[in-house]
Amino acid sequence: MSLFIHHIKELIFTEKKPKSFYAGKEMANISTLKNAWLYIEKDKISDFGSMAHFPESYKNATNEIDASGKMVFPSYCDSHTHLVYPESREVEYVDKIKGLSYEEIAKRGGGILNSAKKMAIISEDQLFADAMKRLNEIIRYGTGAVEIKSGYGLNTENELKMLRVIKRLKENSPLTIKATFLGAHAIPLEYKSNPSEYVDLIINEMIPQVAAEYLADYIDVFCDIGFFSPEDTDRILNAGMKYGMRAKIHANELDNSGGIQVGVKYNALSVDHLEYTGNNEIEALKNTETMPTILPGAAFFLNMPYAPARKMIDAGLPVALASDFNPGSSPSGNMQLIQSMASILYRLTPEEGIYSTTINTAYAMGIEETHGSIAKGKQANLFITKEIPSLEYMAYSYGDNKVEIAILNGQIID
Ligand code: NIG
Ligand code: FE
């Protein structure tokens, strides 16, 4: 099987020598090729170049696409989602509009606990079918890889149920999927007076069972005020690491909670949210292997302060941007919208927006060697746009689906 895409108006984010991520000033310019072709063999990018020269034999490819007037981008990598969930939560959304805060809703047993109640009764098959629909939807918007968290089970049985569903999604979807165990997403009501007992349950029961079934690539903790303290986070990450699960944590969403520093201490792959990030946190992140990840959808939807993305890049840090697709704080997995928000709300240039949603998010899910850019030998996960005037148009034209054809593992997705 081979696919020859030719007369591409502009091939975006080509790399000769692939890098793991891009930081600071490196994010200002992006390498592109005008009037280009791309050759795919089986599931890999085999070669690309300018229309002035290409091997004659490419004309005999199994499939060919004339991409005149259209651009080709590497697929988005969405490194933070909770897209396996039992039901939408628009009732709380109305409460929010009426003025209740995220914490107030959580205190009333709403929020994550509300999803946990529904998780206990939904069947595994239903959960799988609903999530599969969401996956098919995000493919249409250009996503090629996605991380999915557990965290609506909040007891051993239902956390395992969620992770088994994620495993089935891995086996059945053309998307590249990574699974993260997030037992420490919220403290169940029955442990409210003694949260450390719930932390014990996570450490002594959940983590060993998750590891025994190889259900999680990563481990996450919602380290924030009203949820898990830096001390709880410390204990949980320590336990997870003993089982080979690297940390990717929720940090500094609701307060300057110390989460970023705990993440760095455990060499987390990423620290995510970061609305409350000051100079100390920026300093703590410098020269580390931890990807600062911002979730524009959640801040926008909850009307919260925006993380200082511009300041972070200006300080030389890399920044990744993910959707946080979940029913409570970001009910959308549309990465094109995230890219627009990056420019509109965070003042990132369109080029910085591309790095933040492709290679930097690929790094934040441990797949940077195979995903996140157009490079020889990488997975052929990319999309062809509709006819669009420029690279900048991707971020500019918000709310519109600019993807015409999604290609995953070298296959055109119908
Ligand atoms: O990333 N911050 C914590 N967790 C999710 C919200 C999940 C929910 O409300 O269901 C988030 O925003
Ligand atoms: Fe989240």
Side-chain angles (χ1 to χ4, degrees), residues 42-240:
K42 294 195 180 125
D43 59 343
K44 302 278 188 305
I45 297 172
S46 142
D47 206 355
F48 57 86
S50 142
M51 283 308 289
H53 313 276
F54 63 86
E56 275 298 298
S57 62
Y58 286 0
K59 288 186 178 159
N60 304 323
T62 327
N63 286 306
E64 54 127 1
I65 298 175
D66 181 345
S68 298
K70 302 166 184 177
M71 299 202 177
V72 171
F73 284 75
S75 299
Y76 296 109
C77 297
D78 190 352
S79 60
H80 181 137
T81 82
H82 310 248
L83 66 71
V84 171
Y85 60 81
E87 251 177 52
S88 57
R89 303 207 311 255
E90 58 276 20
V91 175
E92 284 167 28
Y93 162 73
V94 177
D95 284 344
K96 261 174 234 148
I97 293 169
K98 290 184 178 158
L100 260 65
S101 73
Y102 188 65
E103 285 147 297
E104 281 165 337
I105 289 170
K107 269 199 196 122
R108 287 176 14 160
I112 297 163
L113 297 183
N114 189 355
S115 285
K117 259 190 235 151
K118 307 217 160 102
M119 181 60 72
I121 49 177
I122 191 171
S123 75
E124 222 169 285
D125 284 345
Q126 189 63 50
L127 206 53
F128 171 77
D130 292 347
M132 200 64 176
K133 261 191 224 149
R134 291 175 203 129
L135 291 184
N136 290 334
E137 218 173 270
I138 63 174
I139 291 172
R140 309 254 162 250
Y141 282 101
T143 295
V146 65
E147 180 258 18
I148 313 174
K149 300 173 193 296
S150 69
Y152 294 124
L154 305 184
N155 56 44
T156 309
E157 182 192 340
N158 289 297
E159 282 297 310
L160 290 173
K161 173 161 101 180
M162 282 190 79
L163 289 167
R164 288 187 193 121
V165 166
I166 300 172
K167 190 174 175 198
R168 262 173 86 186
L169 295 169
K170 279 190 188 187
E171 291 159 0
N172 288 282
S173 168
L175 285 160
T176 302
I177 296 176
K178 291 284 177 186
T180 300
F181 167 59
L182 175 55
H185 197 190
I187 297 155
L189 282 182
E190 59 272 34
Y191 291 96
K192 269 285 173 242
S193 56
N194 199 352
S196 61
E197 246 178 62
Y198 183 61
V199 175
D200 291 341
L201 182 78
I202 292 173
I203 293 173
N204 300 325
E205 196 175 289
M206 293 190 201
I207 292 176
Q209 291 198 36
V210 169
E213 284 188 50
Y214 301 102
L215 290 174
D217 302 293
Y218 303 112
I219 185 162
D220 195 344
V221 176
F222 187 3
C223 178
D224 231 314
I225 187 158
F227 291 83
F228 295 85
S229 67
E231 293 70 34
D232 296 332
T233 309
D234 210 283
R235 288 181 60 207
I236 296 167
L237 296 189
N238 216 339

Side-chain angles (χ1 to χ4, degrees), residues 4 7 15 29 54 59 69 75 129 131 154 157 194 200 228 250 300 352 378 384 409:
F4 183 39
H7 292 98
E15 277 189 310
N29 299 305
F54 63 86
K59 288 186 178 159
S75 299
L154 305 184
E157 182 192 340
N194 199 352
D200 291 341
F228 295 85
H250 284 72
F300 170 73
E352 290 169 334
K378 278 201 174 184
I384 305 174
N409 315 309

Side-chain angles (χ1 to χ4, degrees), residues 1-68:
M1 281 292 289
S2 52
L3 171 62
F4 183 39
I5 309 173
H6 53 87
H7 292 98
I8 303 167
K9 175 174 169 154
E10 195 166 354
L11 178 61
I12 307 294
F13 191 10
T14 54
E15 277 189 310
K16 285 254 150 66
K17 278 199 192 134
K19 275 172 67 79
S20 299
F21 62 82
Y22 288 74
K25 287 197 176 67
E26 291 170 346
M27 298 172 74
N29 299 305
I30 199 153
S31 168
T32 74
L33 210 55
K34 290 197 168 129
N35 196 20
W37 55 266
L38 178 86
Y39 196 73
I40 296 169
E41 255 174 316
K42 294 195 180 125
D43 59 343
K44 302 278 188 305
I45 297 172
S46 142
D47 206 355
F48 57 86
S50 142
M51 283 308 289
H53 313 276
F54 63 86
E56 275 298 298
S57 62
Y58 286 0
K59 288 186 178 159
N60 304 323
T62 327
N63 286 306
E64 54 127 1
I65 298 175
D66 181 345
S68 298

Side-chain angles (χ1 to χ4, degrees), residues 20 76-81 143-148 175-180 217-218 246 248 269-270 272 291 293 320 322 335 357-371:
S20 299
Y76 296 109
C77 297
D78 190 352
S79 60
H80 181 137
T81 82
T143 295
V146 65
E147 180 258 18
I148 313 174
L175 285 160
T176 302
I177 296 176
K178 291 284 177 186
T180 300
D217 302 293
Y218 303 112
R246 194 165 169 195
K248 274 174 70 61
L269 187 53
S270 70
D272 301 23
M291 178 61 68
T293 301
M335 288 293 281
T357 51
T358 55
I359 192 67
N360 286 3
T361 36
Y363 177 90
M365 50 194 295
I367 56 168
E368 72 282 4
E369 285 182 9
T370 49
H371 293 66

